[in-house]
Amino acid sequence: MDRPLRLVVANPLDALARTLEALLVVASAPLSLDELCAAAEEEQERVDLALGLLGERYAEGRSGIVLEQVAGGWAFRASRDAADACARLFERPVQRGLSQAALETLAIVAYLGPCSRPEVARIRGVAADSAVAGLVERGLIAEAGREDGIGGAVRYRTTPLFERVFGLDNLSQLPRLDDLGDDADMIRDRLHAVSAQRTA
Amino acid sequence: MDRPLRLVVANPLDALARTLEALLVVASAPLSLDELCAAAEEEQERVDLALGLLGERYAEGRSGIVLEQVAGGWAFRASRDAADACARLFERPVQRGLSQAALETLAIVAYLGPCSRPEVARIRGVAADSAVAGLVERGLIAEAGREDGIGGAVRYRTTPLFERVFGLDNLSQLPRLDDLGDDADMIRDRLHAVSAQRTA
Amino acid sequence: MIVRELELDLDAFEGPFDLLLTLVLKEELDLAEVDVAGIVVRFVERLAEREQLDLEACGEFLVLVAALLELKARGLFPDEEAELADLEPEEAAEELARRLAEYRRMKEAAAWLVERLAGERDRFFRIGPAPLAPQPERRLAPQDPAKLGEVLRLLAAPPATVSLAHMELRFPPVAQFVERFRALLTRRSVVDFDQEVGGLTRVEQAVAFLALLELRRANQITISQAAPFAPIRIARAEETAAANERTPAWIVHSA
C-alpha cells in the first residue's frame, strides 16, 4: 500500500493559529478581532476560523488554558478546574515586610505629614517614583492635594490601612523622635539639612 | 459487564500538567518550582515530570506558546516565529536601545550588585546618576537597601525583569569576569613593559 | 599626528580634542561627565594605525591627558588628594592598571549584554498581569511602628566621614533628564511636565526644560500647552520614533 509522504497534512490554518496563540499569551488585555487580523496580517475570515480551532484546543476540560471571548475580544484564562490552585498562587500568605525603599518613604510621609514625591526623593537621595507607586497600590498612602503654587506636585499622606497595619489608633501614636526635633517641621528641616549635606 | 465510568484513562500527570498550564498562563512573572508545587499542592518530582510534558508540548516550532526556564522559574512566552506579529501589536518599553553608560552601569550592577551609585561612578570614572535613574525607570535594576553605616548610599541590584529580558535563568549565566577583559591584562603587561624599558 | 585635532566620539562630547579642552577650561563642559579613558583609547587607536611611533605626539598627549586627569581627580575626589599624592609612581601605575582592568572588564560585560540582547530581540513575553487573572490580594503582616522611627533616624544622621556624594552634581546634566523623559515616555504616552518637575529646584527645572527642547529638536517628542502658563504636556513623536527606530528592541509590553 502506498503510504503518503506525509501522514498528517498540516492544517493550513495551523501556522495562523500558532501566531494567534503567541499574540494571546503576550497580551495583557483581551485582543479584538481587528487587532489580531492586523498583527497577523490576515483576513478576518481566516482569523475567525483559526480562533475556532483554538477554541476547540483550549476548551474547558481539555486544557488548563482556556480561550475566552469577552467584551473586549479574545483572551486566555485559567481553566475552572485550576481555580483552587490559582487562588493559592494569588492569595499567597501575608507578605512579611516592606522593602527598605518602602519603609523609608512610609516613615517620611507618616512623620512629616503630606509630602510630595520630589520631597521624598530629595530626602532619600534617590528617585521615589516606584516606592510611592507601590505604597499607593498597597493602599498604605493616598493622594492628599497638591503643593502650593501653580503646577504643585501631588502630595501623599498615610491611610487608615497604614494605621491598622502598624497597630496605631492614629498618627500621634507614632514613636516620638525627640532626638530629631519637637515637631514635624523641625524633623523636616533636619532631614532636608542632612540630604543637602549628602549631596553637597 | 460493568463498564468503567471512563473509557480512556488519562495519563495521571495530565491533570497536573493542566493545572500548571493554568498557573503559568495567569502568572505575572516566572514561577519557581517551589511556587508551582505550593499552588498545585504536589510533590516536586511530579511537578518536574509534568513540566517535562509541557516542555514538549509548548516547544519552539510546535506551538505559538513556548515554555521557557528563565529568571529562576518557568514562564510562557511567544514563539520566535511569531516575533514579527508580536512586534506589530505590542509596544516596547525599551524603545531606544540602552545607552553605553546605561549598559556599563547595568553590567556593574549585575556583577557587583548590590552596589551603590558612588561605587558605579568609581569604576566608570563618571557620575552614574542618570544611568541609574534610567535603569530603575525601566525596571531593570531596583533598590536593595543601603550601604552599611550611617548615611549610607542606596544600593541597587538587577531585577528578575533584567534576567527575563536578557533570557537568563540566573546571574551565574553571565560570562565569568575572569574570562572578560583579556585586553586589560594586555594593557597591564604593556604598562609594566614600558616601565621596565624606562628603568633599564 | 596633531593631537589637538584628534576626533573624539564620547558620550558627553563629540568633536576635536582641542574643542574639548577649550570647553573644559571655560567650564562649559563638566569634566565629571567626560570619559578620559575613552580619549586615551581613541589616541592609542590612532597611534596604532601608524607604523612609526610618533614621539612628539605621545609627549604632547601625555601632558594634556595628565592635566585633564588631574583636574578631574581634584573635582571628583577632593578628599583623596592627599591619599593619592602619597603613592609612589610605581604604586600609582599599578593602581591605575588595576582600575583600568576593572573598567575594561565591565566594558566587555556591557558588550556581552548588547550581543545577548540582539539575540533575544525576537523573544516576546507578557509584562504585568494576565487579562483575566484573579486580582492578587496582597495583605501585609502586622508591622512594628518602631521601625519607622529607626529608618528616619538613619536618614537624619549626617553622612559618614568620606562620602562620594559630592559626585552628585549640583547642576544636573541635561542628559539625565533626557534619559528620564525617554524612559517615562516608554511607559506612558503623555507626561505632564509640571508634575514631573514640581518640587525640583529652579536649576533642576531649568535643566529639565532644556532636556525637553533637546528631545523636541531630535523630533522624539511633541510638546503642547493649551495656553500660556497652562500645564505642559509631552508626548512621544510616534511616527518619527518608528521611522528612526533602528536600535535593537527586545521586550514587549502589551498595549
Side-chain angles (χ1 to χ4, degrees):
Chain A
M1 193 179 83
D2 272 3
R3 290 182 61 186
L5 273 171
R6 279 194 194 158
L7 280 170
V8 179
V9 176
N11 184 325
L13 278 174
D14 258 10
L16 175 55
R18 284 212 291 270
T19 302
L20 299 182
E21 278 176 342
L23 292 168
L24 289 164
V25 87
V26 176
S28 64
L31 297 177
S32 67
L33 195 56
D34 282 349
E35 287 173 309
L36 290 171
C37 293
E41 294 192 324
E42 281 278 3
E43 308 278 303
Q44 201 155 319
E45 207 175 308
R46 274 172 50 82
V47 171
D48 254 338
L49 284 172
L51 281 169
L53 272 185
L54 292 179
E56 281 167 37
R57 190 178 312 164
Y58 296 107
E60 199 70 68
R62 276 202 200 168
S63 159
I65 302 173
V66 173
L67 181 65
E68 174 111 342
Q69 189 171 14
V70 291
W74 299 83
F76 282 139
R77 66 166 169 82
S79 70
R80 295 207 180 85
D81 295 342
D84 287 347
C86 289
R88 282 191 290 272
L89 180 69
F90 281 93
E91 281 148 36
R92 249 170 292 173
V94 279
Q95 301 211 338
R96 290 271 137 236
L98 292 160
S99 70
Q100 177 80 8
L103 208 56
E104 287 179 6
T105 305
L106 208 47
I108 292 167
V109 175
Y111 276 96
L112 303 190
C115 238
S116 68
R117 248 181 352 186
E119 187 176 10
V120 174
R122 207 162 340 139
I123 292 173
R124 295 194 55 234
V126 287
D129 306 23
S130 56
V132 166
L135 291 170
V136 169
E137 199 197 316
R138 284 152 174 258
L140 294 172
I141 63 174
E143 289 191 16
R146 285 179 177 271
E147 282 179 339
D148 297 338
I150 296 168
V154 173
R155 291 201 287 201
Y156 297 87
R157 53 164 177 72
T158 53
T159 62
L161 175 64
F162 162 80
E163 288 165 18
R164 272 212 301 286
V165 165
F166 281 83
L168 305 165
D169 286 334
N170 55 62
L171 289 181
S172 68
Q173 290 187 340
L174 283 167
R176 288 192 57 84
L177 299 175
D178 294 331
D179 46 330
L180 300 187
D182 293 336
D183 58 16
D185 286 340
M186 285 184 69
I187 298 175
R188 174 179 250 118
D189 289 347
R190 169 83 175 262
L191 287 170
H192 280 295
V194 172
S195 76
Q197 212 178 320
R198 220 183 279 137
T199 54
Chain B
M1 195 180 84
D2 273 3
R3 289 183 61 186
L5 275 171
R6 282 192 191 156
L7 281 169
V8 179
V9 176
N11 180 332
L13 278 175
D14 261 8
L16 175 54
R18 285 209 292 271
T19 303
L20 299 183
E21 278 175 341
L23 291 169
L24 291 165
V25 87
V26 291
S28 51
L31 295 174
S32 69
L33 194 56
D34 283 349
E35 287 173 310
L36 288 169
C37 292
E41 292 190 328
E42 281 278 2
E43 308 277 302
Q44 202 157 315
E45 208 174 309
R46 276 174 48 83
V47 170
D48 254 339
L49 286 172
L51 281 170
L53 276 185
L54 291 180
E56 282 167 36
R57 189 176 314 161
Y58 297 106
E60 200 72 67
R62 273 202 203 167
S63 160
I65 303 174
V66 170
L67 180 65
E68 71 173 347
Q69 198 169 1
V70 75
W74 297 84
F76 281 143
R77 63 165 168 84
S79 69
R80 289 180 193 263
D81 296 341
D84 287 345
C86 287
R88 281 190 283 271
L89 191 55
F90 302 114
E91 204 186 324
R92 302 150 198 261
V94 190
Q95 276 284 6
R96 269 153 264 281
L98 297 164
S99 68
Q100 183 64 20
L103 281 160
E104 286 174 18
T105 302
L106 195 54
I108 293 168
V109 175
Y111 278 98
L112 309 184
C115 73
S116 66
R117 275 188 308 195
E119 280 176 296
V120 174
R122 203 191 266 271
I123 293 174
R124 295 197 52 239
V126 289
D129 304 18
S130 61
V132 166
L135 291 170
V136 169
E137 197 67 61
R138 292 176 147 132
L140 296 173
I141 65 174
E143 287 187 31
R146 284 182 186 267
E147 280 176 340
D148 293 341
I150 296 165
V154 169
R155 293 203 283 201
Y156 298 87
R157 55 165 173 70
T158 52
T159 60
L161 179 64
F162 162 79
E163 291 171 345
R164 208 156 183 215
V165 163
F166 285 84
L168 302 168
D169 189 20
N170 56 60
L171 292 181
S172 69
Q173 289 184 334
L174 292 168
R176 278 160 31 94
L177 265 190
D178 291 348
D179 296 340
L180 294 174
D182 292 348
D183 60 340
D185 288 337
M186 249 170 53
I187 291 171
R188 180 190 299 253
D189 291 347
R190 218 178 275 168
L191 274 176
H192 285 308
V194 168
S195 71
Q197 264 173 24
R198 236 187 12 187
T199 54
Chain C
M1 169 161 58
I2 300 162
V3 173
R4 288 172 177 270
E5 288 175 3
L6 183 69
E7 277 296 321
L8 300 170
D9 183 6
L10 310 170
D11 281 351
F13 175 84
E14 206 181 317
F17 192 22
D18 198 29
L19 179 58
L20 177 122
L21 290 171
T22 309
L23 291 176
V24 166
L25 293 175
K26 283 186 174 171
E27 296 189 344
E28 283 172 21
L29 180 65
D30 192 330
L31 252 184
E33 292 287 308
V34 175
D35 170 19
V36 179
I39 302 176
V40 176
V41 168
R42 182 75 197 103
F43 177 74
V44 173
E45 280 170 358
R46 280 297 301 278
L47 212 55
E49 288 164 9
R50 309 171 149 252
E51 300 230 326
Q52 280 195 327
L53 184 62
D54 186 341
L55 272 181
E56 203 169 316
C58 283
E60 187 189 358
F61 182 77
L62 273 180
V63 170
L64 290 174
V65 147
L68 264 188
L69 274 177
E70 186 174 354
L71 274 177
K72 182 169 177 179
R74 278 173 202 252
L76 287 179
F77 308 104
D79 301 336
E80 291 183 17
E81 212 174 315
E83 186 188 318
L84 284 175
D86 287 343
L87 289 181
E88 292 295 315
E90 291 77 24
E91 290 171 331
E94 182 53 34
E95 177 63 14
L96 179 66
R98 197 190 59 75
R99 289 196 184 186
L100 213 55
E102 188 173 26
Y103 180 51
R104 293 297 290 176
R105 274 199 286 272
M106 287 308 164
K107 249 186 135 66
E108 276 198 33
W112 185 86
L113 288 177
V114 170
E115 221 171 278
R116 181 86 189 174
L117 270 187
E120 299 300 323
R121 62 173 307 188
D122 57 354
R123 263 174 75 251
F124 280 76
F125 54 86
R126 173 161 47 75
I127 294 175
L132 304 174
Q135 289 299 314
E137 194 184 324
R138 301 211 286 170
R139 279 176 301 147
L140 205 59
Q143 305 284 318
D144 178 7
K147 272 203 275 178
L148 293 172
E150 251 168 58
V151 294
L152 216 57
R153 273 203 183 86
L154 280 181
L155 281 174
T161 47
V162 180
S163 159
L164 287 174
H166 47 265
M167 293 183 64
E168 288 177 30
L169 307 168
R170 261 163 287 175
F171 285 71
V174 177
Q176 175 177 335
F177 285 100
V178 168
E179 180 95 10
R180 192 175 161 79
F181 283 128
R182 277 186 186 153
L184 273 172
L185 284 170
T186 57
R187 290 244 191 117
R188 290 188 245 149
S189 51
V190 178
V191 169
D192 185 324
F193 177 75
D194 299 298
Q195 201 182 331
E196 281 313 315
V197 303
L200 297 182
T201 63
R202 270 173 167 280
V203 173
E204 286 169 321
Q205 290 185 341
V207 177
F209 190 72
L210 278 180
L212 267 202
L213 297 179
E214 191 65 31
L215 285 166
R216 176 65 195 84
R217 196 173 58 85
N219 260 334
Q220 293 175 358
I221 59 165
T222 59
I223 305 175
S224 58
Q225 188 176 32
F229 301 108
I232 299 172
R233 296 190 186 285
I234 323 162
R236 259 169 310 190
E238 289 293 355
E239 54 304 337
T240 48
N244 294 337
E245 185 56 59
R246 288 292 175 269
T247 41
W250 52 91
I251 46 173
V252 222
H253 169 58
S254 45

